[in-house]
Amino acid sequence: DLYFQYSRSESWGLEEGQVKSGNFSIDQGVGVRAVSGEKTAFAYSDDIHLPALEQAASATRAIAALGSEQATQVIEHRQAPQLYLPQDPIASLSADAKVKLLERLESFARKTDSRVTQVMASIAGEYEVVMIARHDGVMAADVRPLVRLSIQVITEQDGRREQGSAGGGGRFDYSYFTDEVLQDYARKAVHQALTNLDARPAPAGSMTVVLGAGWPG
């Protein structure tokens, strides 16, 4: 069995109106599994090229019985139900557009209430491709986009500071985060923080507890 995987991921963080953090990474590799009777062998390569694949296959082939041969199955392509579009979130917006998206989110939060003193916003995207080739000849592949946006606000009133957060995402590209969606996240985060400003501590200490008959506890 062969399992191929390739992914690119990024994240951007905005704080106090400035980009304070950013990350980008690329991961790829192939895993090989061979089964012979009760024996199983695994090999891995982070280089998806034929010589590396042949070397990984040779390492797992060593568990097979000496001189044994098996017929290769005809490859059969399987079409899985398409639950989302094979989009590349990272390429869907330029770097400047991603920063401006975070800046709009911050602006929406600050305009929601004057008691908002600080806003932290972040956005992350991932583009992942997987392909599986099984020993019985079945081959299947999937392209899996993923985006996530989050916002955290701090509000202050009469010397008291509280925070609230909101966010969301899914298997789309960055076009999912329209101004309407950003405003909704901002309102939810600010509402949570303002609710905390008015919150009172829960009562504590010894209390009388009344239990009914039988096994009420």
Side-chain angles (χ1 to χ4, degrees):
D1 299 318
L2 301 175
Y3 180 86
F4 296 84
Q5 184 173 15
Y6 168 83
S7 67
R8 289 183 288 117
S9 60
E10 68 170 0
S11 64
W12 300 73
L14 188 78
E15 185 176 348
E16 298 178 352
Q18 297 181 347
V19 176
K20 293 292 185 72
S21 63
N23 293 286
F24 180 82
S25 64
I26 297 178
D27 296 300
Q28 65 177 17
V30 56
V32 182
R33 179 179 68 176
V35 179
S36 177
E38 297 181 354
K39 296 180 294 183
T40 303
F42 297 93
Y44 171 81
S45 172
D46 56 7
D47 185 9
I48 307 180
H49 290 91
L50 186 58
L53 297 179
E54 290 176 339
Q55 184 177 1
S58 298
T60 59
R61 191 186 302 130
I63 70 167
L66 184 62
S68 64
E69 294 184 358
Q70 291 185 349
T72 302
Q73 298 288 336
V74 177
I75 294 178
E76 174 189 354
H77 295 276
R78 291 284 180 89
Q79 293 294 332
Q82 189 177 56
L83 303 178
Y84 36 80
L85 296 176
Q87 300 167 324
D88 184 353
I90 297 176
S92 65
L93 281 182
S94 65
D96 289 340
K98 295 167 188 174
V99 174
K100 290 180 180 179
L101 187 150
L102 293 175
E103 290 175 342
R104 291 202 309 275
L105 179 59
E106 179 188 32
S107 176
F108 291 147
R110 292 189 179 277
K111 290 179 180 179
T112 301
D113 195 282
S114 60
R115 289 169 287 182
V116 175
T117 60
Q118 192 172 353
V119 179
M120 288 84 66
S122 64
I123 192 171
E126 182 179 16
Y127 175 75
E128 183 180 43
V129 181
V130 297
M131 186 180 75
I132 299 173
R134 293 195 327 211
H135 66 281
D136 56 3
V138 174
M139 180 179 292
D142 193 18
V143 177
R144 303 189 292 199
L146 184 64
V147 294
R148 169 72 183 174
L149 185 144
S150 62
I151 177 174
Q152 182 180 6
V153 302
I154 296 178
T155 57
E156 186 172 356
Q157 180 179 350
D158 300 330
R160 179 174 177 176
R161 303 180 69 190
E162 294 291 346
Q163 65 180 14
S165 60
R171 296 202 176 276
F172 329 100
D173 62 14
Y174 289 134
S175 63
Y176 171 76
F177 299 119
T178 63
D179 283 354
E180 183 179 358
V181 172
L182 298 181
Q183 290 171 352
D184 181 58
Y185 292 162
R187 284 193 300 266
K188 289 179 178 178
V190 174
H191 174 72
Q192 185 181 110
L194 296 179
T195 300
N196 290 337
L197 280 179
D198 297 330
R200 299 179 180 179
S206 300
M207 300 182 186
T208 301
V209 178
V210 180
L211 300 179
W215 297 85

